[in-house]
Every structure is written in structure tokens, then in C-alpha cells.
Amino acid sequence: MLLLTIPRILELAEELCMPLAAVKYSRGMFIFPGAQPAPHRSFSEEVDVLNRYFGHLKSGGNAYVIGDPAKPGQKWHIYYATEQPEQPMVTLEMCMTGLDKKKASVFFKTQADGHVSCAKEMTKLSGISDIIPEMEVCDFDFEPCGYSMNAINGSAVSTIHVTPEDGFSYASYEVMGMDASALAYGDIVKRVLRCFGPSEFSVAVTIFGGRGHAATWGKKLEAEAYDCNNVVEQELPCGGVLIYQSFAANEEVAVSAGSPRSVFHCFEAESVQSHPLVKEGKLANLLAWRAEEDSLEEGAVLCE
């Protein structure tokens, strides 16, 4: 998930006073690809930059574009390089679009009787504080709308970013470092969906250290009131595995007409991003990519 830009990741890597063990960069699709600065104009450009810094790790740079070729707007991008097998770890990344109008309205700043709504109220009213109640939350609101938070509890960390505007409403959620056996996969996803009510969403679960410790997180997700239209499983170097699923609300869901209208109009003409494929996850293949390629990475398994 794109929480830090690649330039910032590279700055942090150079600031570290210890050997780098592994790096993972992941994201979904850009809603406005033409508005992205370098090196985020394409995944091939991102991989090129990442490999310059991390391709020397023992596994080499491994890049994948995961998803169903029939659904070009629903793809997951991941770059991974490691020096050695990682410690057991489970990470959940969720991308949600078409947010419920009423739920999205919580993330617009309002003013009444001299009181201006704030991030802490958004955290409470949206239900974000109930996703993992033990988390200590540091939240922030934007003008005139938008929300971001980071949270921590022991070794577990999570983050949320919300763009609530109509036409491109979006929310992302990530959590990692938690005790996978103590938190049920389906329960966490249900709590997140309750906060945003998206018309579509995807989940990407990355597991290191084997499925044995991942409990419910290593299984296919069933989401009430949503139909799963894509399941892909991708092996990663040194025993890692990524499980990606995408969902759309079924007819039983009464989704609002849309989020509140945007106050910005500069990106209305942008279209959904379409990336060329990363073949075999190696930098050597970058020059051989063709823009018309639109199939799964060869190592991925499309599940029925």
C-alpha cells in the first residue's frame, strides 16, 4: 500500500545505520494515473527505481502485477526483495472505493455553533476506533475534507487514509504485526467495511513464516453482502505468500447514491490506470514490456 512515496523510502533506506534485511512496496490502482509525479507515473518506472537501490539483496528484485485480466481496474502491484527469510508476520491491506454517502460525510469538516469537527470526532463517529479498540490512535483531518491516522498497540501497527469525495471516494486500511491467532480475519474486515460501506473493495494478505501461524488469515475471505469476483495467490521469495481478493456489493446491499460532491474538478477527465505486466519479477524484463500486455504474472494462481 502506498503510504510512503518511493523517494521517501529511499531517503529512509540511506538514513538507516544497520544492514537492510528486506523491502516490500505495494499498492492498488491509481484512480488518476496522469496526476502522479515521478517515479509513480507507471509501475515499471517504480520498479526501475526500487531495483537500483534494493535489487542487490539476495533474492533480487521481484515485481508482480496481480489480478484478473478481465478486470483491468482491479489489480494489485507488489515489489519485494529480501536478504533472508523473514520472521513470521501477517499483513492485511484493504482498498475501498464507492464509499457510502452517509459514512463518507463524516470525513468532511463541518461547523455548527462555533464548533468545527475534528479528526478525533471522525475517528469515533466513523467507528474506526472500534476496529481494534486497543490501538492508540494518532489522527489528522484535512481541509475541507479527508482523514488520515496511524495507530499502534505493542508490535501491531495500522494506518487509514480516506478521500471521501464523490466520483473518486476511496479509503485504505492496513494492519500488521498483530497476533494473527487472536484476531479473526473476517471480523477485522467486517469492522472496516462497517466504517466505510464501499461498493467495491479488495484485500491483500501477505504471510511470511508459513500459513501455520496465520490461522484464519491464510484462508479465503467470505464477506457478507459482497460477492468475490477474483482470487489470486502469489508465492513470494523465501517462503512468503500473497493472497489477493476483490469484491463487489451484491444486490442485497443498499449502497447510497455516492459520496458528497467534490470541490475539486481538475482530474475529472482522468481515466483508470492500465499498467503493463511485470514478467517474472526481474529488472531484465523491464525493457521487454509491451503496453498492450494485460495478463496475469506467470507465477500467480487464479483460483475459482
Side-chain angles (χ1 to χ4, degrees), residues 4-83:
L4 294 173
T5 62
I6 288 179
R8 181 54 183 152
I9 293 174
L10 302 179
E11 289 177 5
L12 292 173
E14 291 179 345
E15 293 171 4
L16 289 174
C17 297
M18 60 184 69
L20 182 66
V23 59
K24 181 169 82 76
Y25 169 80
S26 57
R27 65 170 176 84
M29 298 291 292
F30 287 132
I31 298 177
F32 303 114
Q36 308 306 317
H40 300 291
R41 295 171 297 191
S42 71
F43 190 47
S44 59
E45 185 179 42
E46 292 173 322
V47 172
D48 192 3
V49 173
L50 289 167
N51 262 322
R52 293 178 202 166
Y53 288 82
F54 309 117
H56 67 278
L57 295 178
K58 190 173 182 179
S59 70
N62 298 267
Y64 312 90
V65 178
I66 297 170
D68 187 342
K71 300 177 177 65
Q74 298 178 358
K75 289 184 178 179
W76 190 250
H77 306 74
I78 180 169
Y79 174 92
Y80 181 68
T82 185
E83 190 67 22

Side-chain angles (χ1 to χ4, degrees), residues 215-235:
T216 57
W217 300 82
K219 300 178 182 179
K220 181 181 177 181
L221 175 69
E222 299 290 341
E224 183 179 353
Y226 289 87
D227 295 325
C228 179
N229 50 40
N230 191 12
V231 184
V232 180
E233 188 169 309
Q234 173 66 54
E235 293 185 0

